[in-house]
Amino acid sequence: MVIGRGVGGRWEPALEVDGSAQGRGLGRRPGYAARHLLPEGELLWAQVAPGNARGVRGIPAAGFVPVGAEVLMVPHGGRG
C-alpha cells in the first residue's frame, strides 16, 4: 500500500493484494491504517473503478463510505 496525491491533489491510497491471497480480507488492515498516516485534519479519498468488483467490495470493508462518483475526461486527442 502507498499513499500519494491523486487527481485534484487529494490524498489517495493505492493497495494491491496478490491474486493468490485475495478474498481473505488482507486489504482491510492497510485500508484502515492508511487513515492514520496523513497529517492531522487531512481527508483520505479512495477511488475504485466500477468494473473492479473486488475493489468495490473491499474499500467499504476497510471503512470507507461512498460519497459520489466522477468520470474524468479530456478532449479528443488528449490536448486542450
Side-chain angles (χ1 to χ4, degrees):
M1 193 236 348
V2 297
I3 296 176
R5 295 283 188 171
V7 175
R10 296 180 291 215
W11 287 107
E12 298 179 11
L15 175 67
E16 185 173 349
V17 175
D18 185 83
S20 66
Q22 289 179 354
R24 294 189 248 167
L26 297 175
R28 288 185 196 151
R29 283 190 178 165
Y32 279 116
R35 291 176 289 187
H36 302 288
L37 299 174
L38 296 179
E40 181 84 25
E42 293 285 340
L43 185 60
L44 184 64
W45 294 84
Q47 293 192 53
V48 180
N52 179 350
R54 286 188 166 145
V56 169
R57 289 189 310 269
I59 291 296
F64 289 82
V65 296
V67 294
E70 66 184 354
V71 175
L72 303 175
M73 299 182 187
V74 297
H76 181 71
R79 296 188 176 230

